[in-house]
Amino acid sequence: MARRLFAGAWLRKPYYSQVRFSYMRMKYLFFSWLGVFIGSWIIYVQYSSYTELCRGHDCKKTICDKYKSGVIDGSACSSLCTRQTLYFGKCLSTKPNNQMYVGAWGNLQGVIKCQTEEMAHVDLRTELEPRKATVLFDKPTRGTTVQKFKEMVYGLFKAKLGEQGNLPELVNLILSVADGNKDGRVSLPEAKSAWALLQLNEFLLMVILQDKEHTPKLLGFCGDLYVMEKVEYTSLFGISLPWIVELFIPSGFRRTLDHWFTPSWPRKAKIAIGLLEFVEDIFHGPYGNFLMCDTSAKNLGYNDKYDLKMVDMRKIVPETNLKERIKDRHCESDLDCVYGSDCRMVCDQSKMKCTTEIIQPNLAKVCQMLKDYLLRGAPVEIHEELEKQLYSCIALKVSAHQMEMEHSLILNNLKTLLWKKISHTNDS
């Protein structure tokens, strides 16, 4: 009897093993297919996003069609459309209507930027340049004289920058840039390109600050497409990871990674000094004051000598222009009177209208961004003083009495403290 029970148990064992094996195989297949499904879905979403964001082909086609029909001209047109020596490389676009690519122009490395979509309306939070609401490249019209074009440019600058005694100098500077083939005159196609580009704050700022160290150089243009100097390192800190890896990294750990992969402290100090110098360049400069409306680290970079270079200046806008557009807008709180992420105006609660009173100057916003960047790893002997100066800087208000004097004093004190500490090092 016992022998028969043992034999039955022995016969049932393979059956149970077979059932268990089938279950494990089904489980493995289920999770495999689930992984394939999720991976395919992620790739599809990313590909759809990429094709929506990266439309360089459309941009190039529009520009080259206009160039070949004689509507526009510029220093980069022939290389882009005829000789094919200006190439679109890696896509850097973050918005469909603002196309940005790494570009190769012969032996030069640059960044190509162009705009593609029409703007039917202006969203104060994201867009201060209501472009392409009318026919693109419609101005100036045929028959416009050089003098009349100068008056058009002067009127545009007056609206953007306010009353400035030296605006005629800026007009002449623009005409010299617009002369793409350097033949001593501005043709109608070149004037159409220049007029379209002057609607863009970044282009205008590059021309105004063309001799400044921390502004990327303008390499060329065609229509409203322009090529600017490529910056080697395109963020103050952090590392570039494949998008599939970024999806699975928690934001807190990503910030920790960012701070791990930063330059040495003396090099960070040199980069910070460059940023403070850039703030000086745009604070009541020769053509008025400009406001930094997105002071995130992704808009800043540096070269191999650790000199700061601006990567994206599209959210640096003329103060006069911003105030004119934002005043008297309906609001319920200060949050309704914001352009970009950082330019905040005061909301008059009694009238429910935005005022032109700016809450924070550029320097305070820059110090807020630099606080953790500079204090992490700072030498012990200056840590306390550096922290004190940074907090004084962050507390700076536009409405403060003698703000301009305080602004200059705080900025110079910070630069002096940092420079004294690194001036004797190789990083200086």
Side-chain angles (χ1 to χ4, degrees):
M1 182 73 177
R3 195 183 308 169
R4 285 199 300 270
L5 287 173
F6 177 77
W10 183 83
L11 288 172
R12 286 196 299 270
K13 187 175 181 181
Y15 172 76
Y16 289 131
S17 299
Q18 195 172 24
V19 170
R20 180 176 176 81
F21 176 75
S22 299
Y23 171 75
M24 292 296 293
R25 185 169 60 179
M26 290 180 63
K27 184 177 179 182
Y28 171 77
L29 287 173
F30 171 76
F31 283 109
S32 297
W33 278 109
L34 183 63
V36 169
F37 173 77
I38 293 174
S40 301
W41 180 79
I42 292 173
I43 291 171
Y44 171 76
V45 170
Q46 290 295 322
Y47 177 76
S48 300
S49 176
Y50 179 86
T51 54
E52 176 67 20
L53 284 176
C54 302
R55 299 163 60 187
H57 175 76
D58 295 338
C59 178
K60 180 179 178 180
K61 185 179 185 305
T62 300
I63 292 295
C64 289
D65 286 348
K66 295 290 185 182
Y67 168 65
K68 290 174 181 177
S69 60
V71 175
I72 59 173
D73 200 357
S75 55
C77 288
S78 175
S79 298
L80 178 69
C81 304
T82 306
R83 291 184 289 170
Q84 304 290 326
T85 55
L86 175 56
Y87 300 99
F88 283 72
K90 180 182 177 182
C91 177
L92 306 174
S93 306
T94 57
K95 292 183 180 179
N97 61 309
N98 288 319
Q99 293 293 292
M100 184 162 61
Y101 289 80
V102 173
W105 192 358
N107 295 326
L108 293 175
Q109 292 291 315
V111 174
I112 303 171
K113 294 186 178 182
C114 66
Q115 287 65 45
T116 57
E117 293 184 345
E118 293 189 1
M119 298 297 175
H121 66 281
V122 180
D123 182 352
L124 187 62
R125 290 180 180 272
T126 60
E127 187 61 47
L128 195 66
E129 296 162 351
R131 307 178 59 259
K132 303 191 179 184
T134 56
V135 179
L136 185 60
F137 308 123
D138 62 329
K139 294 180 181 179
T141 56
R142 187 172 296 279
T144 301
T145 64
V146 173
Q147 183 58 38
K148 179 63 176 176
F149 182 59
K150 282 186 174 182
E151 292 173 5
M152 288 173 58
V153 174
Y154 183 89
L156 178 66
F157 288 164
K158 187 176 178 181
K160 276 181 172 280
L161 306 173
E163 292 283 358
Q164 305 285 339
N166 51 3
L167 286 186
E169 298 174 16
L170 183 56
V171 172
N172 291 330
L173 179 60
I174 289 296
L175 261 63
S176 68
V177 172
D179 182 13
N181 58 8
K182 303 303 176 187
D183 62 352
R185 65 184 185 87
V186 179
S187 65
L188 180 61
E190 288 174 334
K192 285 180 180 290
S193 294
W195 182 256
L197 287 166
L198 288 175
Q199 314 307 310
L200 306 173
N201 291 318
E202 182 173 56
F203 180 85
L204 176 59
L205 201 56
M206 275 195 295
V207 173
I208 290 175
L209 302 178
Q210 63 178 345
D211 296 327
K212 299 298 183 179
E213 179 184 0
H214 307 298
T215 307
K217 304 303 179 188
L218 176 67
L219 302 180
F221 65 92
C222 183
D224 63 350
L225 175 150
Y226 56 100
V227 188
M228 57 193 289
E229 173 189 1
K230 183 178 182 293
V231 180
E232 188 169 354
Y233 301 96
T234 55
S235 180
L236 287 186
F237 46 76
I239 56 173
S240 179
L241 297 172
W243 61 266
I244 192 69
V245 177
E246 292 273 11
L247 289 175
F248 298 101
I249 296 180
S251 58
F253 182 63
R254 186 64 173 93
R255 286 193 295 270
T256 303
L257 275 180
D258 284 340
H259 286 292
W260 281 351
F261 290 91
T262 54
S264 63
W265 189 86
R267 289 171 175 173
K268 288 196 293 185
K270 185 180 182 183
I271 294 167
I273 290 171
L275 182 54
L276 294 173
E277 289 173 345
F278 179 78
V279 171
E280 281 185 296
D281 292 339
I282 63 174
F283 180 68
H284 294 313
Y287 303 106
N289 189 29
F290 284 77
L291 300 175
M292 299 174 70
C293 295
D294 185 0
T295 51
S296 59
K298 70 182 188 312
N299 294 330
L300 312 170
Y302 55 92
N303 60 20
D304 56 355
K305 296 180 180 178
Y306 299 93
D307 298 315
L308 177 103
K309 293 286 185 178
M310 300 302 297
V311 174
D312 194 335
M313 301 188 294
R314 285 177 291 189
K315 286 294 187 293
I316 301 178
V317 301
E319 181 179 4
T320 301
N321 192 23
L322 178 59
K323 285 183 174 181
E324 185 63 30
R325 290 188 177 278
I326 205 171
K327 72 176 183 180
D328 296 331
R329 288 183 177 270
H330 175 77
C331 63
E332 296 180 2
S333 70
D334 292 348
L335 295 176
D336 297 320
C337 305
V338 179
Y339 171 68
S341 58
D342 293 324
C343 285
R344 296 174 180 269
M345 309 290 193
V346 174
C347 175
D348 186 341
Q349 298 285 350
S350 61
K351 298 179 180 178
M352 308 292 281
K353 298 286 185 181
C354 294
T355 69
T356 58
E357 183 183 344
I358 301 167
I359 295 176
Q360 256 192 325
N362 293 332
L363 184 58
K365 293 179 284 190
V366 162
C367 286
Q368 179 68 54
M369 183 184 63
L370 288 175
K371 178 172 69 69
D372 292 337
Y373 186 71
L374 283 176
L375 290 178
R376 186 182 179 89
V380 176
E381 59 270 23
I382 70 163
H383 191 282
E384 184 177 348
E385 178 61 22
L386 179 59
E387 185 176 28
K388 178 182 175 182
Q389 290 197 25
L390 285 170
Y391 276 107
S392 296
C393 177
I394 293 168
L396 187 63
K397 300 291 184 184
V398 173
S399 57
H401 181 59
Q402 295 181 324
M403 193 280 289
E404 290 193 21
M405 185 180 296
E406 286 187 44
H407 183 284
S408 297
L409 183 63
I410 290 173
L411 193 149
N412 287 329
N413 285 345
L414 263 173
K415 283 173 57 180
T416 301
L417 178 64
L418 295 172
W419 185 250
K420 278 184 177 180
K421 192 60 189 174
I422 69 169
S423 59
H424 63 283
T425 67
N426 292 333
D427 298 306
S428 64

